[in-house]
Amino acid sequence: MATTGAHAPSRALVAWRATTPRGRGVAALGIALLVLGLLARYPVPAGLGACLLALVVVELVSVLQPARVALQRRVEPAVVVRHDRCRATLRFAGHRRRGLARLEAADLVDGTLHPVRLPDVPHAEEVELEHDIPTVRRGLVPVGPLVLRRHGLL
């Protein structure tokens, strides 16, 4: 019996997509050191491999946790002349950094991602920041959605 519809990706696939090539390399090195250290009965390489694997697991857990943030965006003015000034005001509430994981934001303007610099405030206080929206052509310029991405060291 075949199932229809989309299914959720497995946890292994989600973890694979969340890691960078550097993180995958650290995990492969950790596995190799752990296995070779255990086979050769050398505790130092095995311990180093276990530490590297633990680092990758902690990094994955911190990156895959959902970000508890609240965002509001206001664009002013709504109608502008080409090359005129247009600004977006973001009201951001929540943690930008948790452990080793950091939160990045980018605004999609006319199909192009424009990075938004989030201030690094240690507490979960509300911050209002502004950034320019480029108006390089005539017509309607679609703005949004705001893309949030959490990433870590690896």
Side-chain angles (χ1 to χ4, degrees):
M1 175 189 234
T3 60
T4 60
H7 63 284
S10 69
R11 290 184 184 188
L13 183 61
V14 169
W16 178 259
R17 289 180 181 166
T19 56
T20 62
R22 183 184 309 153
R24 293 177 195 143
V26 170
L29 179 64
I31 291 170
L33 283 173
L34 181 64
V35 168
L36 291 175
L38 290 175
L39 288 176
R41 297 184 186 194
Y42 285 120
V44 173
L48 182 61
C51 288
L52 288 175
L53 284 175
L55 175 67
V56 171
V57 168
V58 167
E59 185 80 15
L60 272 173
V61 167
S62 67
V63 167
L64 291 177
Q65 285 181 345
R68 295 186 197 110
V69 296
L71 284 169
Q72 291 178 340
R73 177 179 44 206
R74 187 177 63 243
V75 177
E76 292 178 353
V79 178
V80 294
V81 180
R82 182 173 61 176
H83 297 295
D84 207 1
R85 184 179 176 134
C86 183
R87 298 194 57 85
T89 304
L90 286 176
R91 184 170 291 169
F92 185 90
H95 289 288
R96 265 112 14 237
R97 180 182 287 261
R98 177 183 289 160
L100 298 176
R102 291 182 314 244
L103 193 64
E104 275 184 352
D107 213 350
L108 191 64
V109 178
D110 203 19
T112 307
L113 282 175
H114 293 274
V116 177
R117 186 166 172 84
L118 297 175
D120 199 16
V121 181
H123 305 293
E125 61 192 40
E126 191 170 296
V127 176
E128 194 168 288
L129 54 114
E130 293 184 349
H131 67 95
D132 289 325
I133 294 179
T135 55
V136 294
R137 67 173 180 85
R138 292 179 58 184
L140 293 175
V141 178
V143 177
L146 187 71
V147 180
L148 292 177
R149 193 185 100 165
R150 179 174 276 163
H151 66 91
L153 295 176
L154 302 178

